[in-house]
Amino acid sequence: MSATVNRVGLPRDAYKGAATTLCAGCGHNSITNHMIKALYELGVEPHMLAKMSGIGCSSKTPAYFVESAHGFNGVHGRMPALTTGAHLANRQLIMLGVSGDGDTASIGLGQFMHMIRRNVDCTYIIEDNGTYGLTKGQFSATADLGSVQKKGGVNTFQPIDPCAVALALGCSFVARSFSGDGKQVVPLIKAAIAHRGTAILDIISPCVTFNDHDGSTKSYSWVKDHEESIADVSFIPFFEEVHVDYEPGTVRDVRLHDGSHIVLKKLGEDHDPTDRRAAIQVIEEGRAEGHLVTGLLYVDTAMSDFATTEHIPEQPLKDLGEDELRLSRDDFAQFMSEFA
Amino acid sequence: MSCISLMAEFSGLAYYAEVPVVIFDIQRIGPSTGLPTRTSQADLGFVYTLSHGDTKHLVLLPGTVEECYEFARDAFDHADRFQTPVFVLSDLDLGMNLWMTPEFKYPEKKFDRGKVLAKDDLEKLAGEWGRYRDVDGDGVTYRTLPGTDHPAAGYFTRGSGHDEMARYTEGADAYARNMDRLTRKLETARHELPAPVVDEKGSPIGLIAFGSTDAAVVEARQALDEKGKNVDYMRVRALPLSDEVARFVARHERVYVVEQNRDGQLFDLIRLALPAALVDRMRSIRHYNGQPIPAGAIIEPLMEQEAVPT
């Protein structure tokens, strides 16, 4: 029996990685599986994938999928800088950054914001559990005010909401989801990869060891009870034909730069994902009502990405020859004469 | 200067993950914000081992504007060959003031990208390679570049402990093996870095300096010559130190290290590298007020110390 393969001729197993060393039941492991599914179904070529991360439980996960891809587990909160550098060196690579709430909302908040400001073409996944799991469960900066620690401590600080920050900065793609909601996470990962620009995907991902109890707003049960999806998300890649057989007025179709489509099916109130102020309002309302709003909050397909803005050549820098990289003798002589 | 402190963590990452990078440090005077528009040579010791843990870097020490240009070019070759950070230590005096310089020469040398495996190489090896495997015994391993179209091209690098195949490990042997290889690599590099420039006429007195101190040394030696005090001169141009330094010290009775920092950072590094029998020959002359060192700041302390019977 021949194994089923994707459009680049690879079986699903080619997208697997080393065995996870995270706790059984960790939300991050689910996200890893969603990632494998998304990358397999998209037919991403492993040698064109760069998996980037910072420090923390989340940042260990790039070792657990697509073993044959390139990967760089860097320093705490500095994934955006490494990703920006690697992307500029080779625009053809698919940059997939995995970060956590500590990495993103504390030590790396400046990097996170500047990456968004520049609109670096990459997918930025935040595996958000509101806690520092590797250092035994202190609150992170995304923990909600009043949420309760495993040992009873109450969080006294306002949370930093990565999606709200991203929206305030005009990020070109902002989505939120839940690790237990594969139906939503997988198409959002695909859409984030297809999107040209910084795609922020904040995925609430419960920490079973330190933050999955009553009083936590990042637990499986809390999220299940309070998740409010703004629309059903499906993704149609550029290599598949679009069949939209919904009734008129019930779906929104967002065409991405590479010819892919995000199809959003209305659930409750209509949300326009191209309206940034509406996205901010949806988050604020959800917060006021005690709901976790998930789905594609905002997308801007027209914004120029960093490498384009900076006129970085399409050809990977490694493929440029000496002739292209070295000044001509005449140009050099001209340059020197300016100092004479 | 202060931003070199901010980049300490990344420097350690580049050293351990073995990422080529060139960093120019135009030294201003610290500590902290210090005198931010004034010059010094006080980053030498700090930059050499920048970041926590057993970290050591290649440091180039240009002494003239022309060398700043040439070392900039060569630094990229060194970084690619040895897959490690290369720091070029200029200073505010050299980097921001106006200097006369001979015209720069057109760069004729081909780029040296070091040990990079392309698709064809991987096919020949049938994919059998390890990112941190020391095949040639010189401590320098082979790497691929992201985007190389071969199933074995990808590897997962990291600032955490890793084995020859770039896999995560906290294994005691693998850790020590890797650290020893990094030492071997720097030892390979040491012999390839710019050798010291020596101007020697058989004087019993030697003088060692680096970087922008050169201009003051040239003037001081001329003045000392006129006083009948001939002084030999070695200008160090890289760290880790060349073996030439110990040989120069061995040829002289007294050797003055002249530098623009308070603690005698090069003086200390040289003494650490010398055989014990030579350490007593070392003397230190230091200038550290934020102003470029004048010749007088060399002549006077040298004459003073020479007047004291040893």
Side-chain angles (χ1 to χ4, degrees):
Chain A
M1 198 183 88
S2 67
T4 310
V5 295
N6 64 8
R7 71 180 179 104
V8 297
L10 292 173
R12 194 177 181 282
D13 279 1
Y15 293 84
K16 286 187 173 170
T20 178
T21 57
L22 300 175
C23 309
C26 175
H28 300 359
N29 288 333
S30 306
I31 298 172
T32 296
N33 289 331
H34 302 325
M35 216 94 84
I36 291 169
K37 186 171 163 61
L39 293 165
Y40 166 70
E41 289 177 358
L42 280 178
V44 167
E45 292 181 287
H47 76 278
M48 294 308 289
L49 176 67
K51 305 171 295 179
M52 312 298 289
S53 66
I55 293 292
C57 292
S58 59
S59 293
K60 293 168 74 173
T61 64
Y64 312 145
F65 60 91
V66 202
E67 191 151 27
S68 58
H70 276 270
F72 198 165
N73 181 193
V75 285
H76 208 358
R78 269 68 181 171
M79 181 275 280
L82 296 174
T83 301
T84 304
H87 168 62
L88 295 184
N90 187 347
R91 291 180 67 174
Q92 317 281 328
L93 295 174
I94 292 169
M95 303 307 303
L96 179 52
V98 182
S99 184
D101 39 304
D103 215 44
T104 294
S106 284
I107 189 166
L109 189 57
Q111 297 232 337
F112 171 74
M113 292 169 84
H114 282 280
M115 170 174 252
I116 290 169
R117 177 179 152 259
R118 290 170 174 152
N119 201 27
V120 177
D121 185 9
C122 72
T123 296
Y124 188 128
I125 289 173
I126 306 160
E127 300 189 344
D128 187 349
N129 57 17
T131 191
Y132 290 104
L134 273 186
T135 55
K136 309 242 182 283
Q138 300 82 357
F139 287 120
S140 83
T142 66
D144 285 313
L145 179 67
S147 70
V148 179
Q149 234 168 13
K150 197 176 181 183
K151 287 184 177 168
V154 176
N155 187 30
T156 49
F157 300 111
Q158 295 283 340
I160 290 174
D161 179 342
C163 288
V165 173
L167 285 166
L169 292 165
C171 181
S172 62
F173 183 112
V174 184
R176 176 141 47 216
S177 194
F178 167 48
S179 64
D181 189 353
K183 272 193 175 167
Q184 191 187 56
V185 174
V186 172
L188 283 176
I189 292 174
K190 290 177 181 173
I193 289 171
H195 173 69
R196 197 176 69 172
T198 302
I200 298 296
L201 181 45
D202 180 41
I203 307 178
I204 307 305
S205 174
C207 171
V208 287
T209 303
F210 294 108
N211 204 13
D212 194 30
H213 47 265
D214 287 348
S216 161
T217 58
K218 299 278 194 284
S219 67
Y220 280 108
S221 60
W222 193 92
V223 178
K224 272 176 195 153
D225 292 347
H226 296 83
E227 183 181 2
E228 190 184 84
S229 173
I230 44 173
D232 261 346
V233 191
S234 44
F235 178 81
I236 302 158
F238 65 88
F239 52 85
E240 279 176 19
E241 275 183 54
V242 187
H243 296 287
V244 180
D245 49 7
Y246 298 108
E247 280 174 41
T250 61
V251 297
R252 284 182 180 271
D253 180 358
V254 181
R255 189 180 182 281
L256 297 177
H257 188 260
D258 70 347
S260 305
H261 290 260
I262 308 170
V263 179
L264 302 164
K265 192 179 171 217
K266 246 190 269 181
L267 286 176
E269 264 179 65
D270 190 24
H271 172 65
D272 177 1
T274 63
D275 183 341
R276 196 167 63 90
R277 276 181 292 187
I280 292 170
Q281 199 172 340
V282 161
I283 289 185
E284 287 296 335
E285 282 170 6
R287 194 171 157 181
E289 291 161 15
H291 290 137
L292 179 76
V293 175
T294 64
L296 179 65
L297 294 161
Y298 179 66
V299 63
D300 175 352
T301 57
M303 194 189 295
S304 175
D305 71 290
F306 185 48
T308 304
T309 308
E310 291 293 307
H311 308 291
I312 302 295
E314 290 287 349
Q315 200 183 1
L317 301 189
K318 73 178 171 63
D319 296 338
L320 296 178
E322 296 218 0
D323 290 348
E324 291 154 295
L325 293 169
R326 197 189 295 267
L327 276 178
S328 72
R329 281 175 195 279
D330 287 348
D331 288 344
F332 185 84
Q334 169 68 34
F335 188 58
M336 280 302 114
S337 70
E338 287 168 19
F339 289 99
Chain B
M1 59 181 175
S2 54
C3 36
I4 208 77
S5 292
L6 296 173
M7 289 300 124
E9 190 183 21
F10 264 140
S11 303
L13 175 68
Y15 172 77
Y16 197 40
E18 301 183 63
V19 179
V21 54
V22 173
I23 300 161
F24 260 76
D25 178 6
I26 314 298
Q27 298 166 93
R28 298 178 292 192
I29 197 163
S32 190
T33 311
L35 314 179
T37 61
R38 304 294 171 186
T39 194
S40 92
Q41 295 183 317
D43 291 356
L44 186 79
F46 177 62
V47 163
Y48 187 30
T49 60
L50 189 65
S51 198
H52 59 277
D54 278 321
T55 307
K56 199 168 271 184
H57 302 296
L58 304 182
V59 184
L60 302 184
L61 305 167
T64 63
V65 172
E66 199 178 18
E67 272 186 355
C68 285
Y69 163 71
E70 288 168 358
F71 284 10
R73 179 196 64 204
D74 295 345
F76 284 93
D77 285 348
H78 292 308
D80 268 340
R81 271 189 81 178
F82 302 112
Q83 302 171 23
T84 199
V86 175
F87 290 87
V88 186
L89 238 64
S90 176
D91 59 39
L92 187 140
D93 184 26
L94 194 54
M96 292 181 75
N97 289 334
L98 290 175
W99 293 73
M100 295 282 281
T101 175
E103 195 174 324
F104 296 163
K105 292 180 196 72
Y106 185 75
E108 306 280 356
K109 218 167 48 172
K110 277 202 153 309
F111 298 149
D112 185 350
R113 298 294 199 209
K115 299 182 184 178
V116 177
L117 298 173
K119 186 184 180 180
D120 294 352
D121 303 313
L122 291 169
E123 273 163 11
K124 271 179 231 154
L125 291 166
E128 272 300 305
W129 76 288
R131 170 67 185 95
Y132 300 112
R133 203 192 273 166
D134 188 4
V135 179
D136 303 327
D138 58 0
V140 186
T141 62
Y142 287 81
R143 64 186 180 120
T144 58
L145 300 175
T148 304
D149 186 8
H150 190 281
Y155 62 91
F156 193 101
T157 190
R158 47 183 13 116
S160 44
H162 45 267
D163 66 9
E164 284 80 355
M165 302 305 290
R167 288 175 301 222
Y168 178 75
T169 178
E170 292 189 12
D173 292 343
Y175 175 79
R177 232 176 17 246
N178 191 42
M179 291 303 284
D180 289 344
R181 179 182 58 75
L182 289 172
T183 301
R184 204 155 60 238
K185 181 171 89 166
L186 248 69
E187 186 58 19
T188 302
R190 191 167 72 88
H191 299 287
E192 305 285 328
L193 298 180
V197 177
V198 182
D199 182 9
E200 218 171 325
K201 291 178 189 148
S203 166
I205 308 164
L207 192 154
I208 296 177
F210 72 98
S212 69
T213 305
D214 182 58
V217 172
V218 170
E219 191 185 329
R221 286 179 76 211
Q222 206 173 335
L224 287 163
D225 248 357
E226 284 159 17
K227 292 178 198 275
K229 199 88 182 163
N230 197 281
V231 177
D232 290 345
Y233 176 33
M234 166 178 268
R235 182 161 62 83
V236 171
R237 298 197 296 169
L239 295 177
L241 288 168
S242 159
D243 294 335
E244 291 291 321
V245 176
R247 289 191 207 114
F248 181 82
V249 175
R251 291 195 296 270
H252 296 87
E253 291 169 21
R254 293 177 299 284
V255 177
Y256 293 85
V257 180
V258 183
E259 56 195 309
Q260 300 176 62
N261 58 65
R262 184 193 66 184
D263 293 341
Q265 296 179 13
L266 181 64
F267 173 72
D268 278 350
L269 288 171
I270 290 174
R271 287 195 305 168
L272 283 169
L274 287 178
L278 296 177
V279 170
D280 283 350
R281 301 184 183 193
M282 302 308 295
R283 310 279 185 277
S284 175
I285 294 174
R286 301 175 301 275
H287 173 83
Y288 48 94
N289 62 8
Q291 298 295 328
I293 184 170
I298 302 172
I299 300 164
E300 282 153 34
L302 189 138
M303 291 303 281
E304 235 168 70
Q305 292 190 53
E306 283 294 304
V308 179
T310 49

